[in-house]
Amino acid sequence: MHLKNLLLPVSLVSLSVLADVEYTLTIDQPDHHLGNVSVLFPKSAQAHLDVKLPDWRTGRYEVLDLANGIRYFNATDHEGKALKWHKIDKSTWRVHLDDPSQVQVTYQVYANQLAKRVRHIDDSHAFIDASGFFMFSDSFRQEPVKVALDVPKQWRSISGMEFAGNKHTFSAANYDVLVDSPIETGVNEHHKFSVDGREYELVIWGEGNYDVQQMLDDLKKLVKTGSLIWDEYPYRRFVFMVHATSGARGATEHLNSTIIQRHRDTFAKREDYLSFIATAAHEFIHTWNVKNYRPAGLVPYDYLNPNYSDLLWLSEGSTSYLEDYLLLSADIMSHDEFFKNLSNTINRHLDKPGREVQSAAHTSFDKWINQGGDHGLNYSTNIYLEGSLISMALDIDLLANSDGKVSYRDVHKQLYNQYKLPKSFTSKDVKDILKQVSGKDYSQWWQQHVDSPVELDFDTLLDKVGLEFTYPEGAKTIASLAVIAKSEGQLLTLQHVARDSSAWQAGLTAGDKVVAFGGHHVRDSLVDSLAYFKGGDTVKVDFIRRDKLMSTKVKLEQDFDKQKRIQALASPSESQQRLFKAWTGITHPKAQ
């Protein structure tokens, strides 16, 4: 079906649906990532109707300029007559009305943004996040919607939305529900299961080295753990969507579904599989944290402008922290794997100079503009990393001050109970809940850990729960340059130089191509190249910048060939054992 076939007179549509906003997506050129959209808006008596496509999508705090994929926009009235229109900004089309009328708009969408989890069409499937496909009008944002798909016969369509009449048509209460209910349609693998009276589905697009039975077994365990934190489940049906593909990776939470993307060959190894199931746990937690309670700056969503909040560290970082708790409690993850993940998080934090510059509140507000790379590592942090560790510190502090009776889980339980949407919460509200559950004023703690760059004493924190953070046995000292370098040909290209390190002070910067250290030509890796030296040595570094050979002298730093890791104390006290059990839900591995 081509665009001209979508221009059906509104009179042909039954009167029973005229109160709804009707969407139709026709996919007849999948090889070229193209789809044709028709939107039928109810009767409007306004002088004009502004029709908009979101500039970003929920769960990704980044302006995506999604209107760049729209072509062949057209608008007609209830008789099929052309209406005048013009664009008033990059994402808004203004349709002019001489008389009250229903309005039908049609346009073509280019959908080749799989990695951003917003829109993708090819010969095997389509992933449909409404923010990338379906325009809306503020005038009808709260009206019921229906979505009809005209797709190849062999395709199967799945969504968290309810079916409406046939296997390729869905309905939702309003546009906000539609935006938070992506559709996966195509050639896919589909499984259903029930747990505690709730219905679940697993749909997988793409072939890979995954074990479906293992995925199903662990998802069944995972979805039972919501009651460890919250008093109720906010859904009766939940859909896990998985893309086993090439290149694209990541995941996004939605109202009662999630989309998880991984390279098709990263499911089989234990470490890879744990990463997958941890992602599933993360998005599952989001069903409460973000999708049912979220900061004031995110309520309601403004699809054409950034929604600012200084609490994104709690929305995302706390979710990252709690995911391993659920996996550990469900016996999906071992305590050694739990220790390894937490060790990696702490080491990433310590290796990021930006932690000394940007607070969790600041990085939350600046999520829309924060960048990675060399400058990002040196001057910024991120909501996931800082939020996870702040959540851990707050959890252990609550547990220690209450002899294990109050935890950070109680805070999230109360956020859900007291600030369920359409309500929202502020930093003050979180501090009020902290005082409610603990009896302690956390204002000063909040200032030191959230509103200021955080400085955490991991030794003291972990000791409270019978753990230590130390170098593993056999770790050896090595020379370090405090940089990240990538081997390119016969050179080592610097990708990051740690702020205030000896390399930084010597003038080295990201982009420099190192030729030699102390007259020795570089080897395949930075570690191998520095094997000739020891910490404290001053060496000449020859490098290329702007195609010119240059040199400087650097005093090498000392590091270890293995990072610190968390391990259980050999003889934990009764108090440490008790707090460990209250913290993790399992017995301390060295319990007497």
Side-chain angles (χ1 to χ4, degrees):
M1 184 182 292
H2 296 285
L3 278 171
K4 64 180 182 180
N5 301 115
L6 294 177
L7 301 176
L8 298 175
V10 174
S11 59
L12 296 181
V13 183
S14 66
L15 293 176
S16 63
V17 299
L18 288 180
D20 297 350
V21 179
E22 289 269 347
Y23 294 92
T24 301
L25 171 63
T26 300
I27 299 175
D28 58 5
Q29 299 184 71
D31 294 320
H32 301 293
H33 314 295
L34 297 174
N36 296 324
V37 175
S38 170
V39 189
L40 176 63
F41 292 102
K43 186 175 182 178
S44 174
Q46 303 172 99
H48 62 261
L49 186 71
D50 286 345
V51 182
K52 309 173 183 181
L53 191 73
D55 236 7
W56 61 283
R57 64 154 176 79
T58 64
R60 188 183 183 107
Y61 308 102
E62 173 189 356
V63 173
L64 299 175
D65 288 330
L66 297 171
N68 61 11
I70 304 301
R71 295 293 185 272
Y72 301 118
F73 182 91
N74 201 359
T76 57
D77 66 10
H78 65 285
E79 296 179 343
K81 295 179 180 178
L83 295 170
K84 294 181 180 179
W85 61 271
H86 70 283
K87 291 190 73 172
I88 61 173
D89 60 43
K90 63 180 180 177
S91 301
T92 306
W93 291 254
R94 175 162 291 175
V95 179
H96 297 275
L97 298 172
D98 294 328
D99 300 297
S101 177
Q102 292 88 16
V103 175
Q104 186 174 44
V105 301
T106 59
Y107 49 89
Q108 183 189 78
V109 175
Y110 177 66
N112 194 22
Q113 292 174 288
L114 181 64
K116 294 181 179 179
R117 297 179 295 286
V118 65
R119 59 187 178 201
H120 188 249
I121 296 173
D122 68 14
D123 60 307
S124 67
H125 92 132
F127 177 70
I128 303 161
D129 184 303
S131 57
F133 281 88
F134 299 139
M135 296 184 184
F136 72 101
S137 171
D138 287 326
S139 301
F140 302 109
R141 179 168 165 176
Q142 297 306 317
E143 297 302 310
V145 303
K146 286 187 178 179
V147 178
L149 306 180
D150 184 354
V151 296
K153 291 182 179 180
Q154 70 273 26
W155 284 18
R156 173 170 35 221
S157 300
I158 306 293
S159 175
M161 291 183 286
E162 296 296 323
F163 284 105
N166 66 62
K167 62 181 182 180
H168 296 300
T169 303
F170 302 91
S171 64
N174 52 51
Y175 186 79
D176 294 293
V177 174
L178 173 62
V179 160
D180 245 334
S181 305
I183 302 169
E184 174 61 34
T185 181
V187 179
N188 52 58
E189 187 169 345
H190 185 221
H191 301 272
K192 295 182 178 181
F193 59 95
S194 300
V195 176
D196 296 335
R198 287 173 287 274
E199 301 301 316
Y200 297 88
E201 297 176 42
L202 171 64
V203 56
I204 307 173
W205 166 69
E207 298 178 354
N209 62 355
Y210 47 80
D211 182 333
V212 173
Q213 192 56 54
Q214 182 183 24
M215 293 166 73
L216 290 170
D217 290 345
D218 285 341
L219 288 174
K220 290 175 184 177
K221 295 178 184 178
L222 171 64
V223 298
K224 292 175 71 70
T225 61
S227 59
L228 296 175
I229 303 175
W230 300 278
D231 294 325
E232 64 181 24
Y233 282 66
Y235 61 83
R236 299 303 304 170
R237 174 172 167 264
F238 192 94
V239 181
F240 292 94
M241 302 177 185
V242 177
H243 288 168
T245 182
S246 300
R249 59 182 297 274
T252 301
E253 71 277 5
H254 289 286
L255 196 60
N256 63 346
S257 63
T258 180
I259 173 63
I260 300 172
Q261 294 180 334
R262 295 184 64 82
H263 190 280
R264 64 183 76 255
D265 296 326
T266 57
F267 291 88
K269 293 180 181 178
R270 178 61 181 171
E271 185 175 346
D272 289 339
Y273 179 74
L274 272 180
S275 175
F276 160 74
I277 200 66
T279 301
H282 184 100
E283 307 311 328
F284 174 65
I285 292 168
H286 270 317
T287 312
W288 289 268
N289 184 19
V290 171
K291 291 308 167 187
N292 275 278
Y293 59 90
R294 60 176 174 260
L298 303 182
V299 181
Y301 286 132
D302 182 346
Y303 300 120
L304 268 70
N305 296 288
N307 280 88
Y308 295 104
S309 171
D310 60 0
L311 285 169
L312 287 183
W313 68 267
L314 186 148
S315 297
E316 292 292 349
S318 294
T319 301
S320 294
Y321 170 68
L322 291 170
E323 69 191 44
D324 281 357
Y325 167 74
L326 295 191
L327 295 179
L328 191 64
S329 299
D331 198 27
I332 296 173
M333 171 187 286
S334 70
H335 60 74
D336 283 339
E337 290 166 335
F338 175 77
F339 294 161
K340 182 178 180 181
N341 279 2
L342 185 53
S343 299
N344 290 340
T345 300
I346 294 173
N347 282 316
R348 285 171 51 218
H349 165 80
L350 295 174
D351 288 342
K352 197 175 180 72
R355 64 185 166 81
E356 301 169 339
V357 177
Q358 197 171 53
S359 70
H362 187 183
T363 194
S364 293
F365 193 87
D366 276 359
K367 177 66 178 71
W368 294 89
I369 60 172
N370 267 355
Q371 299 179 10
D374 181 57
H375 184 267
L377 286 170
N378 278 325
Y379 291 98
S380 304
T381 183
N382 70 68
I383 55 178
Y384 298 90
L385 185 60
E386 299 303 278
S388 179
L389 293 176
I390 289 171
S391 299
M392 179 191 74
L394 183 52
D395 198 8
I396 293 177
D397 191 81
L398 287 165
L399 288 163
N401 289 329
S402 65
D403 196 26
K405 294 181 178 65
V406 177
S407 76
Y408 190 48
R409 300 186 295 277
D410 295 305
V411 175
H412 280 267
K413 179 185 293 186
Q414 291 306 315
L415 283 171
Y416 178 67
N417 291 343
Q418 298 181 34
Y419 293 100
K420 194 180 305 179
L421 291 173
K423 294 181 179 179
S424 60
F425 60 89
T426 64
S427 295
K428 179 183 181 302
D429 295 325
V430 182
K431 285 181 276 188
D432 286 346
I433 287 178
L434 283 166
K435 190 170 185 178
Q436 290 169 23
V437 300
S438 71
K440 175 184 174 182
D441 185 349
Y442 271 84
S443 298
Q444 185 175 354
W445 191 98
W446 193 275
Q447 176 62 40
Q448 293 175 344
H449 292 79
V450 177
D451 292 334
S452 304
V454 66
E455 294 184 22
L456 294 173
D457 183 346
F458 293 108
D459 292 330
T460 300
L461 273 174
L462 295 171
D463 183 72
K464 292 179 180 180
V465 291
L467 303 176
E468 61 180 347
F469 187 52
T470 186
Y471 287 107
E473 186 177 350
K476 299 177 181 178
T477 59
I478 58 173
S480 170
L481 197 60
V483 303
I484 297 174
K486 180 180 180 181
S487 178
E488 294 182 339
Q490 297 186 12
L491 303 173
L492 289 177
T493 300
L494 302 186
Q495 297 178 305
H496 166 61
V497 178
R499 176 174 47 80
D500 294 334
S501 65
S502 56
W504 171 282
Q505 293 170 355
L508 291 173
T509 191
D512 289 344
K513 302 178 185 297
V514 180
V515 178
F517 291 107
H520 294 274
H521 191 279
V522 295
R523 301 175 70 178
D524 290 338
S525 72
L526 182 63
V527 171
D528 290 342
S529 299
L530 296 178
Y532 298 100
F533 313 102
K534 62 181 182 297
D537 288 348
T538 298
V539 300
K540 179 184 177 186
V541 180
D542 296 308
F543 61 97
I544 295 172
R545 181 188 296 173
R546 296 188 301 273
D547 296 326
K548 180 180 179 181
L549 184 63
M550 305 174 70
S551 65
T552 187
K553 289 186 177 181
V554 180
K555 184 177 181 179
L556 298 178
E557 301 180 21
Q558 182 170 289
D559 202 351
F560 288 85
D561 62 347
K562 297 177 182 178
Q563 289 190 314
K564 282 186 174 182
R565 68 184 184 192
I566 293 171
Q567 59 187 31
L569 292 177
S571 301
S573 68
E574 289 185 7
S575 173
Q576 289 171 323
Q577 293 179 47
R578 187 168 57 252
L579 286 184
F580 183 89
K581 179 69 177 289
W583 178 47
T584 63
I586 66 171
T587 302
H588 192 284
K590 301 294 184 180
Q592 302 300 316

